[in-house]
Every structure is written in structure tokens, then in C-alpha cells.
Amino acid sequence: MAKSVFYHAGCPVCVSAEHDIVNLVGESNVEVVHLGDDNSRIEEAENAGVKSVPALVTPNGHVLHINFGASMADVKG
């Protein structure tokens, strides 16, 4: 089974959502990408349709925007 990818920027909203997602789907089923630590993956996230973080991209390619921590423009800035 393909993994979901959880993108976040490290803010409190993102970290809280990360813990909830990992608890819900299991650590082995989700790849966590901290865009503040790995900004080389910002373009990947945008190409997947991520408009704000935290966001979960499902194996089917659906983007689930969770709450609102930061826009992608804020992440890039």
C-alpha cells in the first residue's frame, strides 16, 4: 500500500495535526514532511495541490487540508 504524505511547517497547529494523523493512520502509513526543515520539497507539495499546511495527500492524490497553519506563500517566505 502506498503511503499518504503529511506536509507541515512546524507550527503548533501543524505539530498537533501531525500527532493526530500518525495516531489515526499509523506511522508506517504516512510520510511526514516538515517543509521548514526540507524546503526542497515545497515544489512537490505544490504540484500535489497543497495550498496550505498542514495537509495530507492521500495515496489516491487527494489533498486534505487540515485546519490552517500557514499558506504555501508563508512557507516559502
Side-chain angles (χ1 to χ4, degrees):
M1 179 173 120
K3 287 186 176 187
S4 295
V5 182
F6 180 74
Y7 295 98
H8 75 89
C11 68
V13 170
C14 293
V15 172
S16 176
E18 174 187 348
H19 292 283
D20 288 342
I21 291 296
V22 169
N23 286 332
L24 285 169
V25 302
E27 191 172 354
S28 63
N29 296 318
V30 63
E31 176 186 5
V32 176
V33 177
H34 185 309
L35 295 173
D37 290 341
D38 189 359
N39 62 9
S40 68
R41 297 196 56 189
I42 291 173
E43 185 176 353
E44 169 192 314
E46 289 180 318
N47 288 339
V50 174
K51 304 290 184 206
S52 64
V53 291
L56 181 72
V57 179
T58 69
N60 294 341
H62 297 120
V63 181
L64 307 175
H65 291 93
I66 303 163
N67 207 331
F68 184 83
S71 70
M72 291 304 288
D74 292 336
V75 173
K76 287 192 231 181

